[in-house]
Amino acid sequence: MPPAEIAPASDRAADLALLIDQAREAGEIARLHHRTDVATWEKPEGAGPVTAADIAIDRMLKRTLLAARPDHGWLSEEIEDDPARLDHDRVFIVDPIDGTRAFMRGDDSFCHALAIAEAGEVTVAVAYFPIRDQMYWAVKGGGAFLDGTPLHVSARAEIDGAVALSGQKQMHPSSWPGGPPPVSREFRNSLVYRHCLVASGRFDLAFTLRAAWEWDVAAGALIAGEAGAVVTTATGADWRYNAAHPRMPGVVIGPAPLHADIMTRLRPVA
């Protein structure tokens, strides 16, 4: 079907209000289960852990968001993918708990990541950290915010000494023909959280060279991009969301000079 006209600003404001409201509802469920003996099991094929809270939040969000926007498609981590979403120009992309391992440990660094993609572009996104009661949000072309305070990426222009959020395996020399970049490295379980920390300027850049699902990236990528970051896949390409196979070949996020430096050092990803 032909691409829909991108929603006007007034519609995006209503979409943002909807996502914020439902993210807070998700937070109520998460708080009920946080630091309790919540049921937990492993997904098939080594896909990682899941809890009863993930499932409850995902089901609640699908029910309430699609009731509010019945013309939208749906893509989320814990609900079986329905190819019917490909027939929709506007799609919810949701991770009910990004950072499930952190949630299981009783940490407060997990979030609910909700986004809307229109014709392949994410236009509205929120990331809500319920234990901290922190709401990151962004609207395409309208900037990124934390609880109403504008966000801006780091002003650092040199890669040497930059602080990057990335897993240890991402620094393996096989990915870097001239050796890993001269950065300090830290790690956070939630990919969306990493992107929000880059958006806030607390860290200089974030990258993962492993394939990443759209629900792990969509919300944080818009927040970081609206805060001034360059956002691409690990191939250096833009990504069109609501892909038939919604898994990206990694993601690199950071201020323009740092992003460019990383891409020149990185072995091309097939």
Side-chain angles (χ1 to χ4, degrees):
M1 62 192 300
E5 182 179 346
I6 296 298
S10 58
D11 288 349
R12 290 184 182 173
D15 286 344
L16 176 63
L18 173 66
L19 294 190
I20 288 175
D21 179 66
Q22 292 308 304
R24 292 193 184 280
E25 289 296 318
E28 293 295 327
I29 298 174
R31 281 188 284 267
L32 286 174
H33 293 284
H34 191 238
R35 297 182 177 175
T36 69
D37 190 22
V38 63
T40 303
W41 60 96
E42 289 289 324
K43 299 179 192 177
E45 301 179 358
V50 63
T51 74
D54 294 79
I55 303 300
I57 291 169
D58 210 341
R59 290 175 176 172
M60 180 277 291
L61 289 172
K62 183 177 183 182
R63 182 179 67 252
T64 57
L65 290 174
L66 289 183
R69 301 286 188 275
D71 60 336
H72 286 35
W74 183 265
L75 176 65
S76 67
E77 182 170 12
E78 310 302 349
I79 292 175
E80 184 176 0
D81 191 12
D82 183 350
R85 66 180 168 79
L86 301 174
D87 296 327
H88 295 266
D89 288 313
R90 297 177 183 169
V91 180
F92 290 110
I93 303 177
V94 170
D95 194 339
I97 297 181
D98 191 62
T100 295
R101 287 184 174 86
F103 175 78
M104 291 166 56
R105 288 196 306 268
D107 293 353
D108 63 3
S109 60
F110 68 90
C111 70
H112 313 300
L114 288 64
I116 296 175
E118 299 179 10
E121 291 188 304
V122 178
T123 55
V124 183
V126 305
Y128 181 52
F129 294 78
I131 308 304
R132 302 175 178 181
D133 193 22
Q134 292 180 331
M135 183 75 71
Y136 291 83
W137 59 268
V139 174
K140 188 170 182 62
F145 301 84
L146 168 58
D147 296 329
T149 300
L151 298 175
H152 302 283
V153 296
S154 164
R156 174 178 285 275
E158 300 294 331
I159 195 73
D160 196 349
V163 185
L165 287 163
S166 188
Q168 179 62 46
K169 293 181 179 179
Q170 314 308 304
M171 305 298 285
H172 194 279
S174 62
S175 297
W176 309 93
V183 299
S184 299
R185 186 191 64 82
E186 293 194 27
F187 181 73
R188 301 292 186 275
N189 281 119
S190 165
L191 198 58
V192 174
Y193 186 34
R194 296 179 220 170
H195 300 166
C196 289
L197 289 171
V198 171
S200 69
R202 291 173 56 188
F203 290 83
D204 297 310
L205 69 159
F207 54 85
T208 180
L209 310 183
R210 299 175 57 189
W213 295 102
E214 288 187 8
W215 52 74
D216 289 323
V217 178
L222 181 66
I223 291 166
E226 286 297 317
V230 175
V231 180
T232 68
T233 69
T235 67
D238 294 331
W239 182 258
R240 303 295 293 178
Y241 288 87
N242 195 32
H245 182 60
R247 202 170 191 189
M248 308 165 58
V251 61
V252 180
I253 291 180
L258 301 187
H259 183 281
D261 197 322
I262 286 289
M263 297 310 300
T264 62
R265 296 169 184 268
L266 186 61
R267 184 181 300 281
V269 178

